Amino acid sequence: MDALINGFALVLTLDTMLVIIAASLFGIFVGAVPGLTATMAVALLVPVTFYMDTTPAIAAIVSTSAMAIFAGDIPGTYLNIPGTPASAAYVTESYSLAKKGRAREVLGINLVCSVFGGIFGTVILIVVAQSLAEVALQFSAFEYFWLAVLGLSCSIFISIGSKTKAFLSLLFGILLSTVGLDMMSGAPRFTFGVPDLMAGVNFIPVMIGMFALNELMNYYSSKSEKKTINIVATDSVFHNVPKHTKRYWRNMLRGSSIGTLIGALPGAGADIAAWIAYAVGKSRSKDKAKYGTGHIEGIVDASSANNSGLSGAWVPALVFGIPGDSITAIVIGVLYMKGMNPGPTIFMDGSGLIYALFIVFIIANLMMLPIGYMAIRLSKFFILTPSRVLMPVILCFCIVGAFAINNSIVDVWIMLVIGLVAYVLAVNGFPMAPAILGLVLGSTVENNFMSAMLRTGGDLTSFFARPISAGLGIAVIVLWCSPLLVKAYRYQQSRSARASS
């Protein structure tokens, strides 16, 4: 109870509440401008959080990401251009309805579903994380090794597109994680005589380069923007929301459940959660033919899933220190920057920080209603803001932010080089999430493997000697073999079909 009271005391201060409001407005603005993603918003925010206490810093990230994910629906509805990847799954439905004069009705149901999904995911986070943390306290180097390997493997199998490219992206991230002094020998690796690299590559400049500078270069390499709104919006925001929520409440529950589950998988994120929820909703709908022509049901499933996925991604990040998506990867970097180690002990420190985090999640999602309503009414202002004005400002933020972490020009060079590499990878279809997982978890895999080897004298069978470690190890091996198992199953099915015919 004392920890809960401390949590309220940490959040309900003037400074933290002002930070939540300011971060919410920032998140709404960035999310509503086409081409600027939620991850980019969080990456740009990190240098500012460097000067905050831990609670306001986490509150700023939570508020910004939640608002940006919702705000991505605004340009999707008016321009058929999703503001964030998480809105792409149902942009056709939104735009088709908007052309019929129902833009504000669409955004109203988007807003309510986002709030519902966010709170649903937060409740799951509160219930599950505490229990998982008690289990995680029993973990040793063996369990953490397999858990990290499982996270890296999931980032490949879950990624959209070529698995080979996802694997190569993962190797790039792991390569970055090997920079610095070797844990066992103390010998420098890939430091090229630069003293600033002895401690390894700093997360924050890499994140800024991958998600902010990469997007900026992508903007300048594309054709000039031309944004005109042809949609006439005169309908009410909330008038039809009760009718839709009463009819599709099961979809909201199902979408939120899928979003939380998918969000908790390392490397998945809100965009994959939205796509899967949309596909599941369509497969179970009685009105499949209406999908793609402007159907509220498809919007309800997916928009509930993308915000619940945000909360779900915090479960592995807080309990095991394994990021669920790129945003929680940045959060882990911020927590390390604040001198905190994400993991089960974060639940036992008694400072109330974990309860403060839960309270921030609930407040941020509730504040989405009034701020989201205001954003819907001011949609045209956000959408028509010329990106060519914003991009130079964002570039300045990138450079200043990368430098301000350690007052080191090396971090600026790291940000520039990583941004260029990320741009080349992105335009060639390489996903970024595996690279981030590789960077964050590469050292976890190496350190726990070496620690286990030292403890057992090099006995590899010890990784299967403990029950949980053996279970995780078998899960990883089954996951690796799953493509072969699926092929064998399909071959057997087709052979049986031919034999019966």
Side-chain angles (χ1 to χ4, degrees):
M1 182 56 74
D2 289 341
L4 180 61
I5 294 172
N6 289 339
F8 275 105
L10 287 170
V11 175
L12 300 180
T13 63
L14 180 62
D15 290 348
T16 306
M17 295 306 294
L18 286 177
V19 165
I20 291 175
I21 294 172
S24 299
L25 295 174
F26 173 68
I28 285 283
F29 180 76
V30 174
V33 176
L36 307 186
T37 65
T39 309
M40 181 185 191
V42 174
L44 290 174
L45 200 63
V46 169
V48 181
T49 63
F50 183 69
Y51 300 98
M52 297 179 185
D53 291 334
T54 305
T55 304
I58 299 298
I61 292 175
V62 170
S63 305
T64 299
S65 56
M67 297 291 173
I69 291 292
F70 157 69
D73 295 337
I74 295 176
T77 302
Y78 281 98
L79 300 174
N80 202 22
I81 303 172
T84 63
S87 302
Y90 49 95
V91 68
T92 304
E93 310 290 354
S94 301
Y95 186 63
S96 299
L97 287 167
K99 287 194 293 185
K100 299 172 185 174
R102 299 170 63 185
R104 288 179 179 169
E105 177 188 347
V106 169
L107 290 172
I109 194 68
N110 274 335
L111 178 58
V112 172
C113 289
S114 297
V115 172
F116 179 84
I119 292 178
F120 182 93
T122 304
V123 171
I124 299 296
L125 171 67
I126 294 171
V127 173
V128 173
Q130 190 83 34
S131 305
L132 280 178
E134 293 175 6
V135 176
L137 282 173
Q138 311 301 320
F139 282 17
S140 64
F142 304 103
E143 286 81 10
Y144 275 110
F145 168 78
W146 281 122
L147 205 57
V149 173
L150 184 63
L152 294 176
S153 305
C154 283
S155 70
I156 297 173
F157 284 94
I158 292 174
S159 65
I160 298 173
S162 168
K163 305 304 177 197
T164 305
K165 289 183 177 180
F167 179 66
L168 293 174
S169 178
L170 174 69
L171 291 182
F172 173 64
I174 292 176
L175 177 64
L176 288 178
S177 74
T178 61
V179 175
L181 293 179
D182 181 82
M183 185 188 75
M184 304 305 297
S185 65
R189 297 184 302 197
F190 307 116
T191 57
F192 305 104
V194 179
D196 293 59
L197 293 178
M198 291 292 184
V201 175
N202 194 332
F203 282 175
I204 306 305
V206 173
M207 299 294 177
I208 295 174
M210 275 193 177
F211 295 109
L213 193 63
N214 170 32
E215 293 294 334
L216 194 145
M217 286 192 279
N218 188 44
Y219 167 79
Y220 280 112
S221 65
S222 61
K223 294 179 180 177
S224 60
E225 60 181 339
K226 185 180 180 181
K227 294 185 286 192
T228 54
I229 297 179
N230 300 316
I231 303 298
V232 178
T234 56
D235 54 335
S236 170
V237 176
F238 291 129
H239 180 72
N240 289 316
V241 167
K243 180 182 72 177
H244 294 316
T245 52
K246 183 179 179 181
R247 182 175 181 183
Y248 298 121
W249 63 271
R250 290 185 181 85
N251 301 67
M252 293 172 70
L253 278 175
R254 184 176 59 212
S256 300
S257 304
I258 292 173
T260 307
L261 181 63
I262 299 297
L265 297 175
D271 46 342
I272 294 178
W275 278 108
I276 292 178
Y278 180 83
V280 171
K282 184 178 180 180
S283 67
R284 299 183 64 85
S285 174
K286 296 177 182 176
D287 301 313
K288 293 185 181 67
K290 293 183 180 178
Y291 276 72
T293 61
H295 189 38
I296 288 289
E297 188 178 4
I299 296 173
V300 171
D301 274 292
S303 59
S304 300
N306 56 19
N307 268 69
S308 64
L310 276 182
S311 305
W314 283 72
V315 175
L318 287 177
V319 178
F320 304 113
I322 295 175
D325 61 1
S326 51
I327 291 175
T328 47
I330 297 173
V331 169
I332 287 177
V334 171
L335 289 177
Y336 280 127
M337 196 170 66
K338 298 292 181 186
M340 299 179 62
N341 294 326
T345 54
I346 203 171
F347 291 82
M348 313 299 170
D349 67 352
S351 64
L353 181 63
I354 194 68
Y355 289 98
L357 174 66
F358 297 153
I359 295 166
V360 163
F361 259 107
I362 293 173
I363 291 176
N365 279 292
L366 290 177
M367 285 184 64
M368 198 188 299
L369 272 177
I371 293 178
Y373 175 78
M374 183 180 68
I376 293 171
R377 302 291 298 185
L378 298 174
S379 298
K380 291 184 179 179
F381 167 75
F382 294 117
I383 295 171
L384 296 179
T385 300
S387 299
R388 63 179 180 276
V389 175
L390 294 176
M391 291 304 177
V393 178
I394 290 172
L395 179 60
C396 293
F397 268 106
C398 292
I399 295 172
V400 173
F403 180 79
I405 301 299
N406 293 317
N407 290 333
S408 169
I409 196 67
V410 173
D411 284 344
V412 177
W413 280 110
I414 289 174
M415 184 269 295
L416 293 172
V417 172
I418 294 295
L420 181 61
V421 173
Y423 169 73
V424 173
L425 291 176
V427 297
N428 287 287
F430 288 82
M432 286 296 105
I436 293 298
L437 266 291
L439 173 62
V440 175
L441 296 181
S443 58
T444 303
V445 172
E446 181 186 7
N447 293 343
N448 284 295
F449 179 78
M450 297 307 295
S451 175
M453 286 291 94
L454 283 175
R455 193 182 302 176
T456 60
D459 182 11
L460 288 173
T461 60
S462 59
F463 282 95
F464 295 91
R466 294 162 57 95
I468 298 178
S469 175
L472 289 170
I474 291 170
V476 169
I477 293 170
V478 169
L479 183 63
W480 288 350
C481 297
S482 60
L484 292 176
L485 295 175
V486 170
K487 278 188 178 179
Y489 174 75
R490 287 178 179 169
Y491 174 75
Q492 188 63 35
Q493 289 288 97
S494 62
R495 191 176 177 184
S496 301
R498 284 198 301 270
S500 61
S501 62

